[in-house]
Amino acid sequence: MNAVGLPRKDEMPRKDERLAVPALGEYYNDLLHVDSWVNGRTKVVQAQSLLCAKLQERDKLIKERVEYLAKKRGITFDEMWEQILNGTAQKMTPGEEGLEYKSEDEG
């Protein structure tokens, strides 16, 4: 990080790692514009900050959902997480073999 708190050029994601977000609707674009101005940031930096904050809020829920999917497939959470990250995770279709999910409350 540099003195301003932004990543150095050598720390920036490669162009193909950047997230492309479709245009926001007029209302949300205006909200982002005002929010970024109030916070003294560019719209891009503010949008990144907002997305990260929302993901932090959903961290537990996301992990619970991955745990559910892993149990349903009879694999570990770590295996499911890795499959999702490396692009090898497969969606299950109704009737496909797999463990019936039981919550911890059901035993």
Side-chain angles (χ1 to χ4, degrees):
M1 293 262 174
N2 63 22
V4 183
L6 298 174
R8 295 187 322 255
K9 188 172 185 172
D10 61 335
E11 294 175 329
M12 296 294 289
R14 289 178 293 166
K15 200 170 199 169
D16 61 351
E17 293 177 342
R18 293 182 182 198
L19 180 63
V21 178
L24 301 173
E26 180 181 359
Y27 179 75
Y28 289 108
N29 186 59
D30 289 352
L31 280 178
L32 180 59
H33 183 89
V34 171
D35 191 38
S36 62
W37 185 89
V38 167
N39 286 286
R41 299 176 174 166
T42 66
K43 283 172 55 175
V44 170
V45 171
Q46 186 62 11
Q48 178 190 33
S49 176
L50 292 169
L51 178 58
C52 289
K54 188 63 176 178
L55 288 169
Q56 285 175 350
E57 286 177 16
R58 292 175 51 107
D59 182 78
K60 183 178 177 186
L61 174 63
I62 292 167
K63 289 178 178 172
E64 287 172 354
R65 293 173 78 184
V66 171
E67 181 67 30
Y68 168 86
L69 295 171
K71 284 182 179 180
K72 189 172 179 182
R73 287 161 175 75
I75 61 176
T76 68
F77 170 88
D78 290 336
E79 289 170 320
M80 188 76 229
W81 190 268
E82 186 62 29
Q83 286 180 16
I84 293 169
L85 288 178
N86 68 29
T88 61
Q90 298 291 317
K91 303 244 181 212
M92 292 181 78
T93 58
E96 193 171 353
E97 293 299 317
L99 297 177
E100 291 285 328
Y101 177 75
K102 292 183 181 177
S103 71
E104 292 177 10
D105 295 337
E106 294 177 24

